[in-house]
């Protein structure tokens, strides 16, 4: 994009149509922060779809299948906790090094895993809530408005931005 070529995308128009968080997340996802990247309308629509899926994931109630407390089901809980903690480690390291694109990629992978976990409904509700809360906390620097709203709509107190992960 260049002013001299007249192909600048006005961020105000995008923010009013798809929201500041989608624009912010897309800009962070374009590539290495210090190198920038090429703008793509299809790319930003993909970011919007991902944030919409997160909205649905967080607000649709989770219902575990009967018998999820059986000892044989323990490995499913441990796997979700392992992936949750791996994601925390990855996002923390990427955020510290300003690797926003790989941070968002890790959050996308984590959210895909949570979507599958929710569909199978094989984890305890407490483990599910811990993973969902972690996803919101890790996403907060990228999508502050969305996560603040989801934080309150899922019954959590105070501001998400006052919480540690």
């Amino acid at each position: 994009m260049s002013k001299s070529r007249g192909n600048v995308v006005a961020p105000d128009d995008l923010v009013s149509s798809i929201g500041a968080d989608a624009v912010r997340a897309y800009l962070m996802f374009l590539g290495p922060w210090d190198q920038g990247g090429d703008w793509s309308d299809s790319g930003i629509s993909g970011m919007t779809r991902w944030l919409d899926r997160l909205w649905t994931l967080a607000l649709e109630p989770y219902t575990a299948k009967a018998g999820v407390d059986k000892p044989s089901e323990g490995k499913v809980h441990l796997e979700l906790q392992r992936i949750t903690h791996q994601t925390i480690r990855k996002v923390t390291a990427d955020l510290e090094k300003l690797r926003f694109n790989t941070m968002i990629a890790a959050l996308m992978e984590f959210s895909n895993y949570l979507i599958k976990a929710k569909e199978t409904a094989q984890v305890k509700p407490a483990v599910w809530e811990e993973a969902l809360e972690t996803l919101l906390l890790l996403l907060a620097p990228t999508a502050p408005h969305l996560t603040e709203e989801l934080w309150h709509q899922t019954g959590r107190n105070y501001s998400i931005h006052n919480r540690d992960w």
Side-chain angles (χ1 to χ4, degrees), residues 42 128 131 149:
S42 63
W128 170 258
E149 184 64 27

Side-chain angles (χ1 to χ4, degrees), residues 3-163:
K3 279 186 174 181
S4 64
R5 293 185 185 167
N7 60 355
V8 176
V9 177
D12 292 342
D13 296 340
L14 285 170
V15 168
S16 65
S17 65
I18 62 173
D21 286 343
V23 174
R24 177 184 172 104
Y26 179 67
L27 291 173
M28 294 170 84
F29 190 63
L30 278 176
W33 191 250
D34 58 343
Q35 297 174 18
D38 294 330
W39 185 268
S40 163
D41 288 340
S42 63
I44 199 163
S45 64
M47 186 60 63
T48 304
R49 284 191 310 274
W50 177 61
L51 292 174
D52 288 344
R53 282 194 306 272
L54 292 178
W55 181 269
T56 303
L57 176 70
L59 293 182
E60 284 183 353
Y62 175 76
T63 306
K65 287 184 180 178
V68 296
D69 292 327
K70 291 190 271 183
S72 63
E73 298 294 333
K75 63 183 177 181
V76 176
H77 307 302
L78 290 176
E79 179 68 11
L80 179 55
Q81 287 178 324
R82 183 182 68 78
I83 290 172
T84 300
H85 291 275
Q86 286 177 340
T87 305
I88 292 169
R89 184 173 40 250
K90 172 76 171 135
V91 168
T92 302
D94 286 345
L95 193 57
E96 289 172 354
K97 295 176 183 174
L98 303 179
R99 293 182 183 156
F100 303 128
N101 57 329
T102 57
M103 175 190 74
I104 294 173
L107 289 171
M108 288 176 170
E109 289 175 17
F110 185 48
S111 66
N112 288 339
Y113 186 86
L114 289 179
I115 289 168
K116 289 177 186 170
K118 190 171 190 176
E119 288 171 358
T120 61
Q122 294 181 349
V123 296
K124 295 177 188 176
V127 175
W128 170 258
E129 283 301 315
E130 176 189 352
L132 179 62
E133 184 172 301
T134 300
L135 175 64
L136 293 177
L137 287 166
L138 296 175
L139 183 63
T142 305
H145 304 97
L146 176 87
T147 54
E148 185 71 28
E149 184 64 27
L150 288 173
W151 190 257
H152 288 287
Q153 287 209 22
T154 55
R156 291 164 173 87
N157 294 326
Y158 308 109
S159 174
I160 192 172
H161 305 293
N162 292 333
R163 297 284 314 264

